[in-house]
Amino acid sequence: MPSPPWSTPHASAPIDATVPLPGSKSMTNRALILAALADGPTRVVRPLRSRDTLLMAEALRALGVSVREDEDDWQVLPGELTGPVQVDVGLAGTVMRFLPPVAALADGDIAIDGDPRARERPMGPIIDALRALGADIDDGKRGSLPFIVRGTGAVPGGSVTIDASGSSQLISGLLLAAPRFARGAEIRHEGPPVPSAPHLAMTVEMLREAGVTVETGPDVWRVAPGPVEAREWVIEPDLSNAAQFLGAALVTGGRVTVPGWPGTTSQPGDALRELLAAMGAEVASGPDGLTVRGTGTFQGLDADLHEVGELTPVLGALAALAGSPSRLTGIAHLRGHETDRLAALVAEINALGGDARELDDGLEIRPRPLRAGIFHTYDDHRMVMAAAVLGLAVPGIEVENPATVGKTLPGFTELWTEMIDP
Protein backbone atom coordinates (compact mmCIF):
# COMPACT_ATOMS: atom_id res chain seq x y z
CA MET A 1 0.00 0.00 0.00
CA PRO A 2 1.41 3.45 -0.91
CA SER A 3 2.59 5.60 1.99
CA PRO A 4 1.09 9.03 2.77
CA PRO A 5 2.55 11.99 0.84
CA TRP A 6 5.67 13.66 2.21
CA SER A 7 6.03 17.44 2.38
CA THR A 8 9.64 18.01 1.38
CA PRO A 9 11.50 20.37 3.72
CA HIS A 10 12.35 23.80 2.31
CA ALA A 11 15.81 25.15 3.14
CA SER A 12 15.68 28.77 4.27
CA ALA A 13 19.44 28.96 4.92
CA PRO A 14 22.64 27.29 3.68
CA ILE A 15 22.96 23.71 4.88
CA ASP A 16 25.97 22.76 7.02
CA ALA A 17 25.91 19.02 7.64
CA THR A 18 27.81 15.75 7.79
CA VAL A 19 25.72 12.85 6.47
CA PRO A 20 26.91 9.26 7.09
CA LEU A 21 25.47 6.90 4.47
CA PRO A 22 24.61 3.20 4.70
CA GLY A 23 26.34 0.63 2.52
CA SER A 24 26.33 0.20 -1.23
CA LYS A 25 23.45 -1.81 -2.64
CA SER A 26 25.55 -2.85 -5.62
CA MET A 27 28.39 -4.16 -3.47
CA THR A 28 26.06 -5.79 -0.94
CA ASN A 29 24.15 -7.84 -3.50
CA ARG A 30 27.30 -8.88 -5.34
CA ALA A 31 28.86 -9.93 -2.04
CA LEU A 32 25.78 -11.99 -1.16
CA ILE A 33 25.90 -13.89 -4.47
CA LEU A 34 29.63 -14.58 -4.15
CA ALA A 35 29.14 -15.65 -0.53
CA ALA A 36 26.34 -18.04 -1.56
CA LEU A 37 28.67 -19.69 -4.09
CA ALA A 38 31.79 -19.64 -1.91
CA ASP A 39 33.74 -22.60 -0.56
CA GLY A 40 33.13 -21.66 3.07
CA PRO A 41 31.50 -19.16 5.43
CA THR A 42 31.63 -15.45 4.60
CA ARG A 43 31.14 -12.31 6.67
CA VAL A 44 29.56 -9.30 4.95
CA VAL A 45 30.54 -6.27 7.01
CA ARG A 46 28.04 -3.40 7.33
CA PRO A 47 25.81 -4.46 4.43
CA LEU A 48 22.99 -2.27 3.24
CA ARG A 49 19.67 -3.42 4.63
CA SER A 50 17.07 -2.19 2.18
CA ARG A 51 14.26 -3.74 0.18
CA ASP A 52 16.61 -4.77 -2.65
CA THR A 53 19.20 -6.42 -0.42
CA LEU A 54 16.66 -8.03 1.90
CA LEU A 55 14.98 -9.55 -1.16
CA MET A 56 18.33 -10.96 -2.25
CA ALA A 57 19.05 -12.38 1.20
CA GLU A 58 15.59 -13.96 1.40
CA ALA A 59 15.88 -15.43 -2.10
CA LEU A 60 19.18 -17.06 -1.21
CA ARG A 61 17.72 -18.41 2.03
CA ALA A 62 14.88 -19.96 0.01
CA LEU A 63 17.49 -21.74 -2.14
CA GLY A 64 19.25 -23.21 0.89
CA VAL A 65 21.86 -20.58 1.83
CA SER A 66 22.13 -19.45 5.45
CA VAL A 67 22.18 -15.65 5.76
CA ARG A 68 22.29 -14.82 9.47
CA GLU A 69 22.21 -11.48 11.24
CA ASP A 70 25.31 -10.82 13.35
CA GLU A 71 24.95 -7.34 14.88
CA ASP A 72 25.75 -4.93 12.02
CA ASP A 73 27.00 -7.73 9.74
CA TRP A 74 25.71 -10.78 7.92
CA GLN A 75 27.20 -14.26 8.25
CA VAL A 76 26.64 -16.31 5.10
CA LEU A 77 27.06 -20.08 4.97
CA PRO A 78 26.64 -21.79 1.59
CA GLY A 79 24.26 -24.71 1.41
CA GLU A 80 22.97 -27.19 -1.11
CA LEU A 81 20.89 -25.21 -3.62
CA THR A 82 17.52 -26.91 -4.02
CA GLY A 83 13.95 -26.39 -5.20
CA PRO A 84 11.10 -26.29 -5.64
CA VAL A 85 10.82 -22.73 -4.32
CA GLN A 86 9.24 -19.45 -5.33
CA VAL A 87 11.37 -16.31 -5.32
CA ASP A 88 10.20 -12.69 -5.21
CA VAL A 89 12.65 -10.25 -6.83
CA GLY A 90 10.50 -7.16 -6.22
CA LEU A 91 11.65 -4.42 -8.55
CA ALA A 92 15.36 -5.04 -7.93
CA GLY A 93 17.43 -5.23 -11.10
CA THR A 94 20.32 -6.84 -9.25
CA VAL A 95 18.09 -9.60 -7.87
CA MET A 96 16.21 -10.33 -11.10
CA ARG A 97 19.49 -10.47 -13.12
CA PHE A 98 21.89 -12.00 -10.55
CA LEU A 99 19.65 -14.72 -9.12
CA PRO A 100 18.62 -16.75 -12.22
CA PRO A 101 22.19 -17.93 -13.01
CA VAL A 102 22.49 -19.10 -9.38
CA ALA A 103 19.06 -20.75 -9.59
CA ALA A 104 20.29 -22.66 -12.65
CA LEU A 105 22.88 -24.31 -10.36
CA ALA A 106 20.14 -25.56 -8.02
CA ASP A 107 18.51 -28.97 -8.11
CA GLY A 108 14.80 -28.37 -8.66
CA ASP A 109 12.40 -25.80 -10.03
CA ILE A 110 12.92 -22.18 -9.02
CA ALA A 111 9.93 -19.96 -9.88
CA ILE A 112 10.95 -16.30 -10.17
CA ASP A 113 8.60 -13.30 -10.26
CA GLY A 114 8.44 -9.73 -8.99
CA ASP A 115 6.48 -6.50 -8.97
CA PRO A 116 4.27 -5.73 -11.99
CA ARG A 117 6.82 -3.27 -13.40
CA ALA A 118 9.55 -5.95 -13.05
CA ARG A 119 7.77 -7.92 -15.78
CA GLU A 120 8.51 -5.04 -18.18
CA ARG A 121 12.24 -4.75 -17.45
CA PRO A 122 14.75 -6.28 -19.91
CA MET A 123 15.31 -9.98 -19.14
CA GLY A 124 15.22 -11.70 -22.54
CA PRO A 125 18.99 -11.47 -23.18
CA ILE A 126 19.95 -13.20 -19.93
CA ILE A 127 17.27 -15.88 -20.34
CA ASP A 128 18.55 -16.65 -23.85
CA ALA A 129 22.17 -16.58 -22.66
CA LEU A 130 21.47 -19.04 -19.84
CA ARG A 131 19.79 -21.39 -22.29
CA ALA A 132 22.85 -21.18 -24.56
CA LEU A 133 25.03 -22.07 -21.56
CA GLY A 134 22.92 -25.17 -20.86
CA ALA A 135 20.21 -24.03 -18.44
CA ASP A 136 16.54 -24.99 -18.80
CA ILE A 137 14.18 -22.02 -18.43
CA ASP A 138 10.43 -21.97 -18.99
CA ASP A 139 9.34 -18.38 -19.66
CA GLY A 140 6.36 -19.08 -21.90
CA LYS A 141 8.37 -17.53 -24.76
CA ARG A 142 7.88 -14.07 -23.20
CA GLY A 143 11.52 -13.23 -22.52
CA SER A 144 10.49 -11.66 -19.24
CA LEU A 145 9.33 -12.40 -15.72
CA PRO A 146 7.72 -14.56 -14.48
CA PHE A 147 9.63 -17.71 -15.41
CA ILE A 148 10.78 -21.03 -13.96
CA VAL A 149 14.41 -22.12 -13.86
CA ARG A 150 14.37 -25.91 -13.99
CA GLY A 151 17.65 -26.56 -12.23
CA THR A 152 19.52 -29.83 -12.60
CA GLY A 153 22.29 -29.06 -10.12
CA ALA A 154 24.82 -27.98 -12.75
CA VAL A 155 25.31 -25.67 -15.73
CA PRO A 156 27.68 -26.76 -18.54
CA GLY A 157 28.79 -23.20 -19.41
CA GLY A 158 30.84 -22.27 -22.45
CA SER A 159 30.64 -19.36 -24.90
CA VAL A 160 27.68 -17.07 -25.39
CA THR A 161 26.92 -13.78 -27.14
CA ILE A 162 24.52 -11.31 -25.55
CA ASP A 163 23.16 -7.85 -26.25
CA ALA A 164 23.55 -6.13 -22.88
CA SER A 165 22.83 -2.61 -24.11
CA GLY A 166 19.76 -2.57 -21.85
CA SER A 167 21.69 -3.13 -18.62
CA SER A 168 25.20 -4.08 -17.51
CA GLN A 169 23.49 -6.32 -14.93
CA LEU A 170 22.74 -8.80 -17.73
CA ILE A 171 26.47 -9.50 -17.99
CA SER A 172 27.25 -9.14 -14.29
CA GLY A 173 24.66 -11.78 -13.42
CA LEU A 174 26.33 -14.30 -15.73
CA LEU A 175 29.83 -13.40 -14.55
CA LEU A 176 29.05 -13.84 -10.86
CA ALA A 177 27.84 -17.43 -11.27
CA ALA A 178 30.23 -18.40 -14.09
CA PRO A 179 33.02 -19.83 -11.89
CA ARG A 180 30.57 -22.53 -10.78
CA PHE A 181 29.66 -23.49 -14.36
CA ALA A 182 31.43 -26.68 -15.45
CA ARG A 183 33.40 -24.93 -18.21
CA GLY A 184 33.19 -21.41 -16.86
CA ALA A 185 31.98 -18.88 -19.41
CA GLU A 186 33.10 -16.64 -22.22
CA ILE A 187 30.59 -13.81 -22.61
CA ARG A 188 30.63 -11.51 -25.62
CA HIS A 189 28.55 -8.40 -26.03
CA GLU A 190 27.19 -7.41 -29.44
CA GLY A 191 25.08 -4.29 -29.81
CA PRO A 192 25.12 -0.66 -28.67
CA PRO A 193 27.60 0.08 -25.85
CA VAL A 194 26.93 -1.52 -22.48
CA PRO A 195 25.80 1.14 -19.97
CA SER A 196 27.20 1.56 -16.45
CA ALA A 197 30.69 0.26 -17.19
CA PRO A 198 31.82 0.98 -13.59
CA HIS A 199 29.34 -1.62 -12.35
CA LEU A 200 30.90 -4.23 -14.65
CA ALA A 201 34.32 -3.23 -13.34
CA MET A 202 32.98 -3.74 -9.80
CA THR A 203 31.81 -7.25 -10.70
CA VAL A 204 35.18 -8.20 -12.20
CA GLU A 205 37.07 -6.69 -9.28
CA MET A 206 35.03 -8.55 -6.68
CA LEU A 207 35.36 -11.85 -8.56
CA ARG A 208 39.12 -11.45 -8.63
CA GLU A 209 39.15 -10.60 -4.92
CA ALA A 210 37.38 -13.94 -4.40
CA GLY A 211 40.19 -15.75 -6.23
CA VAL A 212 38.35 -16.18 -9.54
CA THR A 213 40.32 -15.90 -12.78
CA VAL A 214 38.70 -13.30 -15.04
CA GLU A 215 40.11 -12.06 -18.33
CA THR A 216 38.59 -9.08 -20.11
CA GLY A 217 38.88 -7.49 -23.53
CA PRO A 218 36.78 -5.18 -25.66
CA ASP A 219 33.22 -6.44 -25.12
CA VAL A 220 34.39 -9.87 -23.94
CA TRP A 221 34.73 -11.43 -20.47
CA ARG A 222 36.20 -14.88 -19.74
CA VAL A 223 35.68 -16.55 -16.37
CA ALA A 224 37.57 -19.74 -15.56
CA PRO A 225 35.76 -22.50 -13.67
CA GLY A 226 36.89 -22.98 -10.09
CA PRO A 227 36.14 -22.24 -6.46
CA VAL A 228 34.91 -18.94 -5.12
CA GLU A 229 36.99 -18.20 -2.04
CA ALA A 230 35.23 -17.42 1.22
CA ARG A 231 36.39 -14.07 2.57
CA GLU A 232 35.26 -10.98 4.42
CA TRP A 233 33.52 -8.34 2.35
CA VAL A 234 33.63 -4.80 3.79
CA ILE A 235 30.87 -2.78 2.15
CA GLU A 236 31.62 0.82 1.17
CA PRO A 237 29.08 3.63 1.66
CA ASP A 238 26.66 3.88 -1.26
CA LEU A 239 28.12 6.74 -3.29
CA SER A 240 25.19 7.00 -5.70
CA ASN A 241 22.95 7.64 -2.70
CA ALA A 242 25.20 10.59 -1.86
CA ALA A 243 24.01 12.53 -4.93
CA GLN A 244 21.06 14.30 -3.35
CA PHE A 245 22.90 15.11 -0.12
CA LEU A 246 25.92 16.58 -1.90
CA GLY A 247 23.61 18.31 -4.35
CA ALA A 248 21.92 20.03 -1.40
CA ALA A 249 25.13 21.97 -0.84
CA LEU A 250 24.86 23.37 -4.37
CA VAL A 251 21.19 24.31 -4.07
CA THR A 252 21.54 26.06 -0.70
CA GLY A 253 25.06 27.47 -1.04
CA GLY A 254 26.10 25.40 1.97
CA ARG A 255 28.40 22.51 2.94
CA VAL A 256 27.76 18.78 3.04
CA THR A 257 30.35 16.12 3.95
CA VAL A 258 29.90 12.40 3.35
CA PRO A 259 32.32 10.52 5.64
CA GLY A 260 34.08 7.31 4.62
CA TRP A 261 34.33 8.22 0.94
CA PRO A 262 36.85 5.69 -0.47
CA GLY A 263 40.09 6.92 -2.03
CA THR A 264 39.66 4.49 -4.91
CA THR A 265 36.46 2.71 -5.85
CA SER A 266 34.61 1.10 -8.73
CA GLN A 267 31.31 2.66 -7.64
CA PRO A 268 29.79 4.87 -10.36
CA GLY A 269 28.80 7.43 -7.73
CA ASP A 270 32.43 8.51 -7.45
CA ALA A 271 31.78 10.53 -10.64
CA LEU A 272 29.82 12.99 -8.49
CA ARG A 273 33.10 14.69 -7.65
CA GLU A 274 33.61 15.76 -11.26
CA LEU A 275 29.95 16.27 -12.18
CA LEU A 276 29.15 18.57 -9.26
CA ALA A 277 32.40 20.48 -9.79
CA ALA A 278 31.35 21.03 -13.41
CA MET A 279 28.15 22.63 -12.10
CA GLY A 280 30.12 25.03 -9.91
CA ALA A 281 30.63 23.21 -6.62
CA GLU A 282 33.82 23.31 -4.60
CA VAL A 283 34.73 19.65 -4.05
CA ALA A 284 37.43 18.44 -1.66
CA SER A 285 38.52 15.04 -0.36
CA GLY A 286 40.13 14.68 3.03
CA PRO A 287 40.31 12.57 6.18
CA ASP A 288 36.75 13.59 7.06
CA GLY A 289 35.38 12.31 3.74
CA LEU A 290 34.17 14.09 0.61
CA THR A 291 33.01 17.67 1.11
CA VAL A 292 30.97 19.71 -1.35
CA ARG A 293 30.47 23.44 -0.89
CA GLY A 294 28.05 25.56 -2.84
CA THR A 295 28.88 29.11 -3.82
CA GLY A 296 25.33 30.43 -3.94
CA THR A 297 24.93 29.97 -7.68
CA PHE A 298 25.50 27.04 -10.01
CA GLN A 299 25.23 26.38 -13.72
CA GLY A 300 23.69 23.66 -15.82
CA LEU A 301 25.47 20.53 -16.97
CA ASP A 302 26.29 19.19 -20.42
CA ALA A 303 27.37 15.60 -19.83
CA ASP A 304 27.24 12.07 -21.19
CA LEU A 305 25.88 10.00 -18.28
CA HIS A 306 26.02 6.63 -20.05
CA GLU A 307 28.25 5.13 -17.36
CA VAL A 308 26.46 6.76 -14.41
CA GLY A 309 22.81 6.75 -15.46
CA GLU A 310 21.55 6.16 -11.92
CA LEU A 311 22.63 9.71 -11.05
CA THR A 312 20.29 11.20 -13.68
CA PRO A 313 17.18 11.86 -11.52
CA VAL A 314 19.09 13.96 -8.97
CA LEU A 315 21.20 15.67 -11.63
CA GLY A 316 17.99 16.38 -13.54
CA ALA A 317 16.51 18.02 -10.45
CA LEU A 318 19.64 20.13 -10.01
CA ALA A 319 19.45 21.07 -13.68
CA ALA A 320 15.90 22.36 -13.18
CA LEU A 321 17.23 24.71 -10.49
CA ALA A 322 20.48 25.73 -12.19
CA GLY A 323 21.37 29.08 -13.73
CA SER A 324 21.71 27.82 -17.30
CA PRO A 325 20.35 25.00 -19.51
CA SER A 326 21.48 21.38 -19.21
CA ARG A 327 21.80 18.54 -21.69
CA LEU A 328 22.11 15.03 -20.22
CA THR A 329 22.81 12.34 -22.82
CA GLY A 330 23.80 8.69 -23.21
CA ILE A 331 20.90 7.52 -21.04
CA ALA A 332 18.28 6.04 -23.38
CA HIS A 333 18.55 2.82 -21.34
CA LEU A 334 16.89 4.57 -18.39
CA ARG A 335 13.56 4.00 -20.12
CA GLY A 336 13.85 0.39 -18.92
CA HIS A 337 14.68 1.09 -15.27
CA GLU A 338 12.31 1.03 -12.28
CA THR A 339 10.17 3.33 -14.40
CA ASP A 340 10.80 5.13 -17.69
CA ARG A 341 12.95 7.65 -15.89
CA LEU A 342 13.25 10.04 -18.83
CA ALA A 343 9.49 10.32 -19.31
CA ALA A 344 8.91 10.50 -15.56
CA LEU A 345 11.40 13.32 -15.01
CA VAL A 346 10.00 15.34 -17.90
CA ALA A 347 6.42 14.88 -16.68
CA GLU A 348 7.14 15.82 -13.07
CA ILE A 349 9.47 18.77 -13.73
CA ASN A 350 7.05 20.23 -16.28
CA ALA A 351 4.07 19.71 -13.96
CA LEU A 352 5.82 22.06 -11.51
CA GLY A 353 6.24 24.70 -14.20
CA GLY A 354 9.63 23.57 -15.50
CA ASP A 355 10.87 23.16 -19.05
CA ALA A 356 12.22 19.66 -19.72
CA ARG A 357 12.02 17.57 -22.85
CA GLU A 358 13.15 14.14 -23.92
CA LEU A 359 15.91 13.59 -26.45
CA ASP A 360 16.51 10.32 -28.27
CA ASP A 361 19.12 9.43 -25.67
CA GLY A 362 18.55 11.83 -22.82
CA LEU A 363 17.09 15.07 -21.50
CA GLU A 364 17.27 18.77 -22.19
CA ILE A 365 16.30 20.95 -19.24
CA ARG A 366 15.93 24.73 -19.25
CA PRO A 367 15.56 26.34 -15.82
CA ARG A 368 12.29 28.13 -15.10
CA PRO A 369 10.67 29.25 -11.84
CA LEU A 370 8.97 26.24 -10.28
CA ARG A 371 5.81 26.10 -8.21
CA ALA A 372 4.36 23.90 -5.50
CA GLY A 373 2.64 20.67 -6.42
CA ILE A 374 2.49 16.89 -6.23
CA PHE A 375 5.61 15.03 -7.44
CA HIS A 376 4.77 11.48 -8.51
CA THR A 377 7.40 8.80 -7.92
CA TYR A 378 6.31 5.82 -10.07
CA ASP A 379 7.58 3.29 -7.48
CA ASP A 380 11.09 4.61 -8.22
CA HIS A 381 13.36 5.35 -5.28
CA ARG A 382 15.44 7.90 -7.20
CA MET A 383 12.38 9.96 -8.08
CA VAL A 384 11.86 10.53 -4.33
CA MET A 385 15.44 11.76 -4.09
CA ALA A 386 14.97 14.09 -7.06
CA ALA A 387 11.82 15.56 -5.49
CA ALA A 388 13.66 16.21 -2.23
CA VAL A 389 16.29 18.25 -4.07
CA LEU A 390 13.62 20.37 -5.77
CA GLY A 391 11.89 20.90 -2.44
CA LEU A 392 14.96 22.58 -1.00
CA ALA A 393 14.32 25.55 -3.30
CA VAL A 394 10.58 25.24 -3.98
CA PRO A 395 8.21 25.36 -1.00
CA GLY A 396 5.13 23.17 -1.10
CA ILE A 397 6.28 20.08 -2.98
CA GLU A 398 4.38 16.98 -1.90
CA VAL A 399 6.02 13.63 -2.74
CA GLU A 400 3.68 10.78 -3.58
CA ASN A 401 4.52 7.42 -1.93
CA PRO A 402 7.87 8.39 -0.39
CA ALA A 403 8.26 4.92 1.17
CA THR A 404 9.35 3.61 -2.23
CA VAL A 405 12.78 5.08 -1.39
CA GLY A 406 13.22 2.11 0.96
CA LYS A 407 14.27 0.12 -2.10
CA THR A 408 17.82 1.35 -1.54
CA LEU A 409 17.80 3.88 1.31
CA PRO A 410 15.42 3.20 4.20
CA GLY A 411 15.11 6.15 6.54
CA PHE A 412 15.87 8.62 3.76
CA THR A 413 13.21 11.15 4.73
CA GLU A 414 14.51 11.22 8.31
CA LEU A 415 18.11 11.62 7.13
CA TRP A 416 17.04 14.42 4.80
CA THR A 417 15.08 16.29 7.40
CA GLU A 418 17.89 15.99 9.96
CA MET A 419 20.38 17.35 7.40
CA ILE A 420 18.27 20.46 6.90
CA ASP A 421 17.23 20.98 10.52
CA PRO A 422 19.74 19.16 12.76
Side-chain angles (χ1 to χ4, degrees):
M1 177 178 291
S3 57
W6 174 49
S7 299
T8 60
H10 174 63
S12 57
I15 288 170
D16 186 13
T18 297
V19 183
L21 292 179
S24 161
K25 174 202 72 175
S26 298
M27 293 189 71
T28 298
N29 274 352
R30 282 165 173 79
L32 283 172
I33 291 289
L34 292 171
L37 300 177
D39 58 6
T42 293
R43 177 179 287 270
V44 182
V45 178
R46 294 188 299 277
L48 173 68
R49 290 173 173 84
S50 70
R51 188 187 185 212
D52 281 15
T53 61
L54 293 174
L55 282 168
M56 180 70 87
E58 191 56 37
L60 293 173
R61 290 186 184 110
L63 289 171
V65 178
S66 171
V67 183
R68 183 172 59 84
E69 299 281 347
D70 188 2
E71 297 184 347
D72 291 338
D73 305 340
W74 273 332
Q75 288 275 15
V76 183
L77 182 65
E80 185 176 351
L81 304 176
T82 58
V85 297
Q86 293 186 335
V87 171
D88 177 14
V89 302
L91 195 50
T94 50
V95 186
M96 69 179 71
R97 276 74 176 257
F98 294 1
L99 194 72
V102 176
L105 293 164
D107 186 3
D109 287 357
I110 313 299
I112 302 176
D113 199 2
D115 294 358
R117 169 64 180 173
R119 299 178 180 182
E120 302 174 33
R121 299 190 70 180
M123 287 296 294
I126 197 168
I127 291 171
D128 291 342
L130 283 170
R131 285 196 182 111
L133 293 168
D136 182 2
I137 300 178
D138 179 4
D139 66 339
K141 299 182 180 180
R142 291 182 304 274
S144 64
L145 292 167
F147 55 82
I148 299 172
V149 180
R150 302 197 184 281
T152 61
V155 176
S159 298
V160 67
T161 298
I162 183 173
D163 179 354
S165 58
S167 173
S168 65
Q169 294 168 352
L170 299 166
I171 292 176
S172 284
L174 297 171
L175 292 176
L176 289 166
R180 292 286 305 276
F181 297 168
R183 300 196 303 273
E186 178 183 272
I187 302 160
R188 292 185 178 274
H189 163 70
E190 285 188 1
V194 180
S196 302
H199 277 134
L200 273 174
M202 178 188 295
T203 300
V204 170
E205 180 180 303
M206 292 181 71
L207 279 164
R208 287 173 174 162
E209 289 176 1
V212 177
T213 300
V214 186
E215 298 176 355
T216 65
D219 286 334
V220 63
W221 298 261
R222 298 180 183 90
V223 180
V228 177
E229 294 176 3
R231 51 159 292 152
E232 181 176 272
W233 295 104
V234 179
I235 305 302
E236 298 173 357
D238 194 315
L239 306 189
S240 294
N241 277 342
Q244 60 277 3
F245 296 104
L246 297 176
L250 267 183
V251 175
T252 67
R255 174 204 67 89
V256 174
T257 297
V258 173
W261 198 281
T264 59
T265 180
S266 54
Q267 287 195 63
D270 194 44
L272 285 166
R273 296 187 297 172
E274 297 175 359
L275 293 167
L276 295 180
M279 298 186 82
E282 297 175 359
V283 182
S285 298
D288 293 334
L290 186 77
T291 297
V292 169
R293 297 180 186 274
T295 60
T297 61
F298 62 99
Q299 64 262 22
L301 180 67
D302 188 342
D304 183 337
L305 303 181
H306 187 70
E307 295 192 349
V308 291
E310 63 204 60
L311 304 180
T312 300
V314 167
L315 292 174
L318 289 172
L321 301 173
S324 59
S326 294
R327 188 178 178 89
L328 310 176
T329 57
I331 45 177
H333 61 283
L334 296 190
R335 293 185 171 100
H337 276 221
E338 282 84 343
T339 187
D340 178 341
R341 284 181 172 165
L342 302 187
L345 285 166
V346 167
E348 298 311 309
I349 290 172
N350 290 350
L352 299 177
D355 182 4
R357 70 181 186 95
E358 286 192 55
L359 307 172
D360 287 345
D361 72 337
L363 297 171
E364 189 172 74
I365 301 173
R366 297 181 179 276
R368 290 176 56 178
L370 301 181
R371 57 177 178 261
I374 294 285
F375 194 99
H376 300 93
T377 54
Y378 308 86
D379 294 324
D380 188 335
H381 54 134
R382 300 210 186 273
M383 292 294 287
V384 179
M385 299 168 185
V389 170
L390 293 174
L392 291 171
V394 184
I397 290 182
E398 296 281 322
V399 182
E400 172 244 8
N401 193 22
T404 194
V405 79
K407 183 176 189 296
T408 56
L409 188 52
F412 165 71
T413 56
E414 292 81 5
L415 267 176
W416 190 255
T417 301
E418 184 177 348
M419 175 187 69
I420 297 169
D421 186 16

